[in-house]
Amino acid sequence: MSRPVPHIDVRSITEADIPDWSRALNTGFLRTPDVAETEVADRASYIVPSRTLGAFDAGRCVATFRSFAQELTVVGGATVPADAISNVTVTPTHRRRGLLNRMMAHDLAAAKERGDVVATLIAAEYPIYGRYGFGPATWAAEWTVDVPRAGLDPRWAGPEDGGRIDIVDSADVRKIGPELHERVRLAQPGAIERGERWWQVATGAVRLDRSPWTEPFFAVYRSAGGEVEGLVSYLADDKWGDGKQPLNTASVKWLIAATPEAERNLWRYLCSIDWITTVRSGWRAPDDLLPFFLPDPRAARITTLADWLWVRVLDVVRALEARTYEGQGELVLEVVDGAGLAGGRYRLRAADDGASCAPTTAAADLTLDVAELGALWLGDESAVRLAALGRVREERAGAAKVADALLRTSRRPWCPDMF
């Protein structure tokens, strides 16, 4: 006889639940389960209890889930409201009991009711989220640069375009960083906003017990006209080889640039620091310009390439009308959504003066799951490739090529941030 499964209560947490919820979160992410008072106070300062779920078995939290409001940049520079999902765990003793199903269903239904266009997340494990309608919409890469091989002039002493690079402190970054980031993220499909707390954590103004703080270096690039156009945060180690030869690595925590010139000069600066023989780029777009800023692009090798931002479309019409298209044409999509949130048949028309999308009864050109629509939406994935994989079905010959001509972008989307 099967053993009856006790009832597990899935609900929004209260402020009193935060210590227990935090312990379950730490357990799920294999961090020490101890929860300091400072950690509880920090979480209480930014989580929204009504959007923070827990599963409770006999009063003990055994699963966690949190969402928050997010603004996501789409192709063309518009933004849409997104339901950002984070802090998803299930305690090892309570796996395979449908807890994530219940929490996800609750959150997505609330997001749909609220009017969010999409839901987003960054997946710790690839196989989990496709079954909830999420598709990998952006990818990220990390490069390791062999500085001596790069071919740069070691005598380089600063930008040759009239600009300048200066070391600044954390207080300066909190002043100049937010405005620069707004300019950058509104030009980058897949990017999200950085709130005040992000800048406080990134500069050490708020320090987290679970993430020991090491003060990084900050460098700013200003154009010849004095405008802030680039900013980088990086750490350096202290490693020396035989014969007292320096073997130090500069590890970039984040780098933002409003122009290719700013980006080029910041990378060249990093590769010109005395004693630095290796530069690790941190997470970058998969088609980043970094290798081609070097005389020898082979000096930069990809050490990590992985899926990054996953998207779950909640409102097909608003999602497809929000972005721009690089071509003109028409496509009828049959979107399959097992959760009943965004399924249906839709006609997309793209023209010079904008795009329109509306439900239709016309024959479909392509049939695809809502997860595949999420992968295609920001322009990174290919409908032709998905058709070859059997994940998109052509109802009209050549429709996948039409979809690629409309949806794909000349530069790949990228989300610079973890959340």
Side-chain angles (χ1 to χ4, degrees):
M1 295 178 63
S2 62
R3 186 176 59 181
V5 178
H7 175 70
I8 298 176
D9 186 24
V10 172
R11 59 171 174 81
S12 298
I13 70 168
T14 66
E15 187 171 344
D17 293 319
I18 294 177
D20 189 30
W21 187 91
S22 298
R23 177 201 49 76
L25 177 68
N26 290 345
T27 299
F29 282 132
L30 300 181
R31 300 192 292 245
T32 176
D34 293 342
V35 181
E37 290 183 7
T38 51
E39 181 178 349
V40 172
D42 177 59
R43 292 199 187 282
S45 72
Y46 67 85
I47 67 171
V48 179
S50 63
R51 295 182 64 166
T52 305
L53 302 176
F56 293 85
D57 184 0
R60 183 180 178 88
C61 189
V62 294
T64 64
F65 189 109
R66 181 173 74 90
S67 71
F68 58 94
Q70 185 182 78
E71 194 172 80
L72 175 66
T73 303
V74 303
V75 180
T79 62
V80 298
D83 176 53
I85 294 170
S86 186
N87 297 154
V88 178
T89 73
V90 176
T91 300
T93 54
H94 285 70
R95 297 168 66 237
R96 302 295 185 266
R97 301 194 191 184
L99 299 182
L100 177 55
N101 292 349
R102 293 169 63 186
M103 294 188 295
M104 184 68 77
H106 181 281
D107 184 79
L108 293 180
K112 177 75 172 180
E113 178 68 23
R114 198 166 45 240
D116 291 331
V117 174
V118 296
T120 62
L121 55 81
I122 294 175
E125 297 181 55
Y126 192 99
I128 296 174
Y129 294 101
R131 67 178 184 263
Y132 301 112
F134 289 84
T138 78
W139 289 64
E142 184 176 32
W143 275 267
T144 298
V145 180
D146 182 345
V147 173
R149 182 180 175 180
L152 294 169
D153 186 346
R155 299 168 297 178
W156 185 80
E160 300 167 355
D161 57 3
R164 61 177 292 158
I165 293 176
D166 295 297
I167 296 290
V168 294
D169 61 25
S170 57
D172 296 319
V173 173
R174 289 191 292 274
K175 292 177 184 176
I176 64 178
E179 190 277 333
L180 173 64
H181 181 262
E182 277 299 287
R183 291 161 52 202
V184 171
R185 70 108 176 176
L186 292 175
Q188 176 59 62
I192 58 176
E193 82 276 24
R194 292 177 178 176
E196 180 182 357
R197 186 175 185 277
W198 189 97
W199 292 101
Q200 291 176 335
V201 172
T203 59
V206 170
R207 302 190 181 187
L208 309 177
D209 291 341
R210 60 188 180 275
S211 303
W213 174 252
T214 300
E215 183 79 13
F217 301 96
F218 300 104
V220 59
Y221 168 83
R222 293 182 174 89
S223 68
E227 185 174 10
V228 173
E229 292 188 345
L231 195 58
V232 63
S233 171
Y234 64 96
L235 297 168
D237 63 9
D238 184 18
K239 183 178 180 181
W240 292 74
D242 296 336
K244 295 183 69 177
Q245 293 299 309
L247 297 172
N248 297 307
T249 296
S251 298
V252 174
K253 295 172 69 67
W254 48 267
L255 184 153
I256 54 175
T259 65
E261 291 76 20
E263 194 173 345
R264 179 194 302 272
N265 280 298
L266 286 173
W267 286 122
R268 188 157 190 184
Y269 160 75
L270 291 164
C271 291
S272 71
I273 300 172
D274 287 341
W275 302 352
I276 295 297
T277 59
T278 302
V279 172
R280 292 186 66 91
S281 71
W283 292 108
R284 305 295 302 166
D287 61 347
D288 200 77
L289 299 176
L290 168 59
F292 301 98
F293 287 143
L294 309 175
D296 184 352
R298 293 183 184 178
R301 58 188 176 88
I302 291 180
T303 46
T304 305
L305 176 65
D307 56 283
W308 197 250
L309 183 74
W310 289 58
V311 166
R312 205 278 187 211
V313 175
L314 297 170
D315 188 323
V316 174
V317 171
R318 291 169 65 202
L320 292 178
E321 288 187 341
R323 57 158 291 174
T324 60
Y325 297 85
E326 298 198 1
Q328 301 179 45
E330 184 175 300
L331 199 64
V332 176
L333 302 173
E334 180 77 36
V335 179
V336 179
D337 185 355
L341 296 172
R345 190 172 299 173
Y346 303 90
R347 185 192 302 276
L348 169 66
R349 288 191 176 98
D352 284 340
D353 58 350
S356 64
C357 181
T360 183
T361 58
D365 299 315
L366 282 179
T367 297
L368 70 169
D369 188 84
V370 69
E372 314 311 335
L373 180 61
L376 291 166
W377 177 55
L378 289 177
D380 193 54
E381 187 54 270
S382 162
V384 170
R385 189 166 80 153
L386 292 180
L389 291 167
R391 291 160 53 186
V392 165
R393 185 173 72 247
E394 283 191 323
E395 309 295 355
R396 176 173 61 83
K401 288 185 177 180
V402 174
D404 279 356
L406 293 177
L407 294 167
R408 299 203 81 183
T409 54
S410 53
R411 290 293 303 273
R412 298 181 71 175
W414 175 45
C415 178
D417 292 300
M418 172 78 76
F419 58 89

